[in-house]
Amino acid sequence: MPGRYIVEFDAEPAVASAIAARARLADSAPQMAARRAQILAAQDLQQAAIQALGGAVLRRYHTVFNGMAVQIADFAAPRLRALPGVRAVYPEKRFHAVLDQAVIAQRVTAAWASLPGGASSAGAGTFIAILDTGIDINHPGFQGFTAPLPSGFPLASSEAEASNTNSKVIVSRDYIGTGGVDRLGHGAGVAMIAAGLPNLPTLNCADPAVALCSRPVAYPQNPIAGVAAGAWLGNYKVCDDGGGCDLSALLAALDDLVGDAAAFQAATANPALQVVANYSAGGPSLFLSDESGPEARAIHNVVAAGILMVVAAGNDGFDPHGGQAPNSIGLPALLPDAIAAGAVFNRRIFDYAVNVAGLAPLQAAIPDASADLNSPDLSDPISASIVDVAQIDGDGLACETLPDASLAGLIALIQRGSCSFNAKLDNAAAAGAVAAVVYNNRGSGLLNMALTDASLPALFISQSDGLTLKSAISASSSLTASLDFAALTPFPLANSSRVATYSAAGPTSAGNIKPDLLAVGGDYVALDSQGLDVLDAQVLTANATSNDPAFPYLIASGSSLAAPFVAGSLAALESARPGLTPPQYRSLLVNSASSFPPAPDGAPLPPMVAGSGELDLLAALQNDLAAVPSSLNFQTAPGQVNQSLPLQVVNVGPAPDAFTVTVNPIDGSLSPSVDPASFSLAPGASQTIHVALSASGLAAGVYDGYLSITGAQTNTATRIPYWFGVPGSSVENITVLNQNQLNAGGAPLESDLSILIRYTDRIGMPVAGPPPAVTALAARSKVLSVAPAGDIPGTYQIDIQLGRVPETFDEFDIAVQSVARAVFVPVL
């Protein structure tokens, strides 16, 4: 842990006298108390000496160890050893529990390590309001919080609702009428990410209450913890148990939130409100007035009152042609005062696996479900001794009949090749096997084995993993394997720096830059058509305990989960760096985001897709420059621009610093000028940078990029996105505004589904066009009507009826001018 040391002093600790006398601790209490007082008095002088060297004493120890935990620059650490009375200086170590990968991806774990109190202190003294489907205080992620309640808390919307509060959830308000407890799981999952307490999701299949499995095998997952585990939570149930969220409930909750925030400020005597709100809900924007409507004014006033509000950007950004669908950002995320969080992949996936003690989990694929009609329920794990069939048939292929009972009660390891998968599995089953692991005979790919009549449970692994397992079997007389058929085993994902396929993108219909930044929301992505398995780079978080009392956890994805990573990070930032203004906190988090790697085609990701970049909490804690505004929007104009926008920056660090501004255009053809390009600031001082963009005769297109402001005192750059667009006149893209809703599917022959679309031009702005031609490709499916929707140009509602049998997809092809878009809707 850089900059963290343990200093031990020469004098023995207080307990030494009891040890020397071999006395009971209770009998030695008076002597130890007197000795503690002597140690603390001596430590007062030693602490002053450490502070004179530029160190900060984080903890003091006196009973079993006489020393201090000190934070000090590494170059100054040797000076600690030279202080009088110092026996030794040790670098501090951290023994890590293996946390869920999402917090690692955002450098949250590194940020925890930089805090004096570690992970448990992140967000201490702050309050995060969760405006969602409720919170379930029965979940272990919300139990056992030890911070004393603020005076006058908990608060509740009724006497009955007070039962849904505890030491962690200190406000519970129900705007739905069903009680504040979460029954859907969405609110619990969001709250867990923002500020849940550390807990270990373990699926114990020996518990008969666990519906997923029945055999006695445990599925331990990584311990999970919220970003700001030290923060209090407020439960504002504004969404019903089906996930529907009314604007009227949201406005009522925002009214109450301001009053609750005032009470919290009074109770905790905080110099600032230190309150963050999270709203992981939204929907399509259909009217030009949306960006100045009631939710816009309400959120503006909430933010002006000092409450930072984070909103999920939305899950309608899928574009079948690649990249993100423009103008897909949801309402209210598109509002300028909201911090809109888009989503990126997680750093690990959950997948099927062969688990063997002493080996890393071996990633696996299950048989093709469409062909494996006779397969048993493969959600059950299977554990048994595993044997290499080569020890029985000589070649390990299992293509010939095996001796009776030669595999009785065992898992068979079989090599691919020479005969069908059906024959291999049938031969193993006839010999008494309870399951099989088939490994590839070439390459490293995973195959979904196509079966016709074989019913033996089986997994397929790569050639290299098969050879590793074969070697382990030969080295052990009895090796037990556990086959995970429920895809609950985590694996690292090598290339996780990708925008989630569903993450919504800007610009807004008013031409504003959204999203503001990206955070882990996970993704679920099918690979190629060569038989490879799917990636499940999702987020593990809490579920409502009523959904599954024995395993109240979700493996899910969505910008709903990205938003609370941002909200929790804001709380952690406010707690660690008190006394700043809400706009400065917003900038430190948003503008310290790390630059995102280029897209697969090598093009840099634009601000309308990535905002400022990917959330980086450690960088936000280390950055000393805050900027207002957090992005520079030169808006749109036909062919020319001549604007100068002011950017005010403030040195929020403890030392003077010299700063340099550089411009990084994405397309390279047009760059803004900055004045001044370099400047120095004392702590607390500000500077206005004039950013000017001037050109004429510009072709239709986007002219965007980033300003990067760097100082000498920190390695963290302040990245400010800028954007200017020259509109086009033709339709370049068809965005489906409710793709996420359509993914939920519908029943055949029912006529209550609609596809909402919008035409966008070259820069992603709405553009007018004639009604689309829509074709229903599935038998019995129909296009019922096509009509304009709202008042934003190029927006249409297509009412449809599904026709296929359940568990299939209906396809609707939409075309206008030279642009086409296929929309697939599951049939339930």
Side-chain angles (χ1 to χ4, degrees), residues 517-530:
L517 77 169
L518 304 176
V520 168
D523 207 342
Y524 186 83
V525 179
L527 294 180
D528 59 34
S529 60
Q530 305 303 312

Side-chain angles (χ1 to χ4, degrees), residues 62-147:
H62 45 67
T63 301
V64 297
F65 181 84
N66 181 8
M68 296 178 178
V70 173
Q71 183 171 344
I72 194 169
D74 290 328
F75 71 84
R79 302 175 191 172
L80 294 173
R81 182 66 183 84
L83 292 174
V86 171
R87 176 182 295 177
V89 176
Y90 313 94
E92 187 177 3
K93 305 177 185 69
R94 171 154 291 175
F95 299 94
H96 294 278
V98 183
L99 294 162
D100 189 57
Q101 290 295 306
V103 290
I104 299 174
Q106 317 290 202
R107 291 219 292 174
V108 171
T109 51
W112 288 340
S114 73
L115 300 176
S120 62
S121 69
T126 64
F127 176 79
I128 303 175
I130 304 296
L131 289 75
D132 214 289
T133 61
I135 298 177
D136 185 352
I137 63 169
N138 297 311
H139 194 281
F142 310 120
Q143 295 183 339
F145 195 49
T146 58

